[in-house]
Amino acid sequence: RAFAGLKTNWTVPGAVFVLFIGAMAYFTYVEPDFGARLALVSFVLAAGYGPCAFAMLRIDTGDKRLARWVAAFAFGMIGVNSGIRAVVTLIDPPDGMLFNTSPLQAAFFLVGVVNLVLSTFSLMMITSQRLQAQIVQRNLELSLLAQDLDRARQRAEQANKSKSAFLATMSHELRTPLNAIIGFSDLGRTLPARAGGDERSREYFGHILWSGTHLLDLINDILDLSKVEAGKL
């Protein structure tokens, strides 16, 4: 279940493990019994590999269904082999050696080793498929990110073009009338004096000239800042 990313409750396995260690210690130091220890180990293996086989049939590992079924079969065979070994050990206890010359015990050992190798190979196949799927997903994410960056670059280029067009328009639309205002107000200020109020008129023309010149300076500064920001200056 942990291999498949599913939630795992360790309460029952933990309790079984504690009881198993206690029983093994009892049959080792209090009442030495090799057959009981072998049967106990076989029962625990059978109880553990059975749920493993069931979990491998339930989890979703993508397209590697054959590897998942093979792993479930291998786990199931280990469980069945361990269960049969436990029963046989209780019926006919060995003579105190784990690797004795009994053909039955040798068969149990051989079947267990073969299925362990088979289950390990199946899990490696499933892991390889999962890593391949993750690589494909990461490549897809990188491709989408590259597309987003390309769209952002296009928007930035379009914004830059719009800013250049804005600067050109502002330069023409604002500077042209301001230059006319400044020119005519300067001309009005230098007109020859005539009777009545001409001095005040020239003063007014002077105010218009100063205001227009000041406004033109401000606009030039704004346009220069915009050119600096756009990299045009």
Side-chain angles (χ1 to χ4, degrees):
R1 291 180 62 85
F3 178 80
L6 302 176
K7 184 179 179 181
T8 304
N9 185 0
W10 291 103
T11 304
V12 174
V16 171
F17 179 74
V18 171
L19 293 176
F20 169 72
I21 295 299
M24 290 293 288
Y26 176 81
F27 287 115
T28 301
Y29 301 107
V30 179
E31 186 177 343
D33 189 340
F34 174 75
R37 293 201 306 270
L38 182 58
L40 182 60
V41 171
S42 300
F43 272 125
V44 171
L45 287 176
Y49 277 104
C52 286
F54 179 69
M56 290 303 298
L57 292 175
R58 289 184 63 242
I59 64 176
D60 182 15
T61 56
D63 297 332
K64 294 292 183 181
R65 294 183 178 179
L66 179 60
R68 179 163 56 92
W69 293 340
V70 171
F73 172 79
F75 286 146
M77 287 300 297
I78 296 174
V80 171
N81 181 66
S82 299
I84 296 175
R85 185 180 191 181
V87 174
V88 171
T89 301
L90 290 177
I91 296 174
D92 184 18
D95 57 1
M97 292 181 61
L98 179 60
F99 302 103
N100 56 23
T101 57
S102 169
L104 190 59
Q105 293 294 335
F108 286 142
F109 180 76
L110 180 61
V111 170
V113 170
V114 170
N115 283 284
L116 276 175
V117 173
L118 189 61
S119 62
T120 302
F121 178 75
S122 301
L123 291 178
M124 290 175 62
M125 291 288 293
I126 296 172
T127 304
S128 174
Q129 184 270 337
R130 181 176 299 174
L131 291 176
Q132 183 179 0
Q134 292 176 354
I135 292 174
V136 171
Q137 180 65 26
R138 183 60 58 86
N139 289 337
L140 178 61
E141 293 175 355
L142 291 176
S143 177
L144 294 176
L145 179 61
Q147 294 177 6
D148 292 339
L149 291 176
D150 185 64
R151 286 193 291 267
R153 180 186 58 79
Q154 293 178 1
R155 289 194 295 267
E157 291 177 353
Q158 183 63 35
N160 191 31
K161 292 179 180 179
S162 300
K163 182 177 292 186
S164 299
F166 168 76
L167 292 176
T169 302
M170 289 291 291
S171 298
H172 176 73
E173 297 295 334
L174 290 178
R175 285 173 174 171
T176 299
L178 279 176
N179 286 328
I181 293 173
I182 292 171
F184 284 118
S185 59
D186 188 40
L187 178 62
R189 191 183 58 170
T190 59
L191 289 176
R194 291 192 296 269
D198 287 328
E199 188 65 31
R200 184 174 293 275
S201 296
R202 285 196 296 273
E203 181 181 354
Y204 291 158
F205 279 119
H207 288 313
I208 295 173
L209 176 63
W210 180 87
S211 299
T213 304
H214 181 63
L215 182 57
L216 181 61
D217 291 338
L218 291 177
I219 292 175
N220 287 332
D221 291 339
I222 293 174
L223 293 176
D224 289 340
L225 289 175
S226 299
K227 288 181 180 179
V228 170
E229 186 179 5
K232 302 294 184 180
L233 189 63

